[in-house]
Amino acid sequence: MTDFNQNEEKPESNPFMPLYFAVVLVIGIAAGYWLSFNSVDAGAGGKGKSGNSYSKITSLLEYIKLDYVDTINEKQLVEKTVTSMLQSLDPHSSYIPAADFAQVNETLEGNFEGIGIEFNIINDTIRVIAPISGGPSDKLGIKAGDKIIKVEGKPIAGIKISNKEVFERLRGAEGSEVLVTILRSGVKNPIDFKITRGEIPLYSIDISYMVRPGIGYMKISRFAATTYEEYLSAFNALTKKGMKKLILDLRGNPGGFLKAAVDIADEFLMDGLQIVYTEGRANPKKVYKATSRGSFENNPLVILIDEGSASASEIVAGATQDNDRATIIGRRSFGKGLVQDQRDLPDGSAVRLTVARYYTPTGRCIQKPYEHGTEEYYQEEIDRYSDGEMITADSTKFDKSKKFVTPGGKIVYGGGGIMPDVFVSLDTAKYSAFVNKLFYNGVITEFGFSYSDKIRAEILKKYSAEQFTNDYVVGDNVINELYTRAEQKKIPVPDAERTKSTVNLKQLIKALIGRNIYDKDAYYPIINQTDNSIKKAIEILEKP
């Protein structure tokens, strides 16, 4: 788990950024590392006068340290100062304490055990940026935007919790359990999830398979160090199965390494076409272009995005959309177009400072506004539900004055995420309120585990993953057994629920059984059968 989801490739650095030296200065006081501040001030353009902002910071800290009424924790004070300083700039500039440094890149590079979420601490509350695909939280139904307010019944919101404390409370040995209480937008009461910790999967490609003859499907959940190699392996396997057209699913993908995004986009674009460029006040324009190595440059391509697609995902979607290369399907992406440069500090901590913006080939910046503060910035994603944006394209809020035109004459917009070419609304009617309640309370997931264990030997003897997907049928007796389990958990089953069609519920149970027995090889092919975005993608790709 990590509290960052934008670990981008470092742009060319600028060693004399004034803010960087201010941060180094403050950290230096706390850690006892005295630098040559005269040379620092000179390099940053300062003159060392008493009115200098650097002198103001150091003088204030010295004054507090010497004359404050109580003894202070100097290191803690400095770290809070640095954190506040960076948070006041934009939502993605951040400070990484030395104690947290080893954990922040683990979703992209390392091994760990825990509940499997990427998170940020926003206004002293843990906010889920994204559940790690295939991890314990994802399997239980924890979603991006959820706020964790209790762990084991003890409040953790509003207590000035640190990243280190979050790790300590949520991590644990594989197989151990932790009770997490969630606040979710649109749900009146808090939801309790009992999560069994597990090893967090490190792969970035969740699944690749043939959805139709000639049409391949690939889901990338993050852009990590190994994503491109994983892509090539999956692509070659699909090609051997006859793939001529591809659905690339980037929904819920919070981003990752810039290089991985550029490498993936390069596979779809002709030599010399622009993929993305970065530019900032102190960072000259740097252009990334496609090379001649692409292996899928002329075949039909559809890319799926949604409100959880951010950063590197938006680079791939924007590059292919602006070059008239792919059809983008889904809902407006998150809108994260800021580039962070990481500077490691002498005490083992680090600063991630926004130094540039991403721009798509037509010149649009997809960064959404953040001038009203971090809380409102992240709340905007949740507000899309109440504003109707998830249901109708007409309700989508973006600056329509920022128009750009692709080489093929298509109008695209900047200033707030990638707008899809084909809008697909959120399917709010797929499951009833009762089924959602069973899901939130863990009843369906628990039942899926126990029922899978009961029939595992019989299923493995009779079916392969593909045969299970195509041939296994969940009977009414299984659903009745689920209802019995719900009543045992003191959750009454409405009479209307017993008489209504249970097609979607049966599919969900089948998918969970498939995941528990065959993992992703059965889960995704089953759950995707009624996915409206995938159905629309197939419809477009099957057109003559």
Side-chain angles (χ1 to χ4, degrees), residues 46 118 246 256 338 354 362 397 506 513-514 535:
E118 297 178 27
L246 175 63
L338 299 178
T354 296
T362 58
K397 294 182 178 179
K506 287 182 177 180
I513 295 171
K535 289 163 69 175

Coordinates of all heavy atoms in Angstrom, one line a residue, residues 46 118 246 256 338 354 362 397 506 513-514 535:
G46 N 18.9 34.5 -3.5 CA 18.7 35.2 -2.3 C 20.0 36.0 -1.9 O 21.1 35.7 -2.4
E118 N -4.1 1.7 -2.1 CA -3.3 2.9 -2.2 C -4.1 4.0 -1.5 O -5.3 4.1 -1.8 CB -3.1 3.2 -3.7 CG -2.3 2.1 -4.4 CD -2.1 2.5 -5.9 OE1 -2.1 3.6 -6.2 OE2 -1.9 1.5 -6.6
L246 N -8.0 -5.0 -30.4 CA -7.7 -5.1 -28.9 C -8.6 -4.1 -28.1 O -8.8 -2.9 -28.6 CB -6.2 -4.7 -28.7 CG -5.8 -4.6 -27.2 CD1 -5.9 -5.9 -26.5 CD2 -4.3 -4.1 -27.2
G256 N 1.2 5.7 -12.5 CA 2.5 5.1 -12.2 C 3.6 5.7 -12.9 O 3.7 7.0 -13.1
L338 N -0.1 16.7 -13.5 CA 1.1 17.3 -12.9 C 2.3 16.3 -12.8 O 2.1 15.2 -12.4 CB 0.7 17.9 -11.5 CG -0.4 18.9 -11.4 CD1 -0.7 19.3 -10.0 CD2 0.0 20.1 -12.3
T354 N 6.0 19.3 -7.6 CA 5.4 19.4 -8.9 C 6.3 20.4 -9.7 O 6.4 21.6 -9.2 CB 4.0 19.9 -8.9 OG1 3.2 18.9 -8.2 CG2 3.4 20.2 -10.3
T362 N -2.1 17.3 -28.9 CA -2.7 18.5 -29.4 C -2.5 19.8 -28.6 O -2.9 20.9 -28.9 CB -4.3 18.3 -29.5 OG1 -4.8 18.0 -28.2 CG2 -4.6 17.2 -30.5
K397 N -18.9 18.1 -16.2 CA -18.5 19.4 -16.0 C -17.0 19.6 -16.4 O -16.1 18.9 -15.8 CB -18.6 19.8 -14.5 CG -20.0 19.9 -14.0 CD -20.1 20.4 -12.6 CE -21.5 20.5 -12.1 NZ -21.6 20.9 -10.7
K506 N -26.6 -14.3 -9.7 CA -26.0 -15.6 -10.0 C -24.6 -15.4 -10.7 O -23.7 -16.2 -10.5 CB -26.9 -16.4 -10.9 CG -28.1 -17.0 -10.1 CD -29.0 -17.9 -11.1 CE -30.2 -18.5 -10.3 NZ -31.0 -19.3 -11.2
I513 N -16.9 -17.6 -7.2 CA -16.4 -19.0 -7.2 C -15.3 -19.2 -8.1 O -14.3 -19.8 -7.8 CB -17.6 -19.9 -7.5 CG1 -18.7 -19.9 -6.5 CG2 -17.1 -21.4 -7.7 CD1 -20.0 -20.6 -6.8
G514 N -15.4 -18.6 -9.3 CA -14.3 -18.7 -10.3 C -13.0 -18.1 -9.9 O -12.0 -18.7 -10.1
K535 N -19.1 -4.4 -23.6 CA -20.1 -4.7 -24.7 C -20.1 -3.7 -25.8 O -20.2 -4.0 -27.0 CB -21.5 -4.8 -24.0 CG -21.7 -6.1 -23.2 CD -22.8 -6.0 -22.2 CE -24.2 -6.1 -23.0 NZ -25.3 -6.1 -22.0

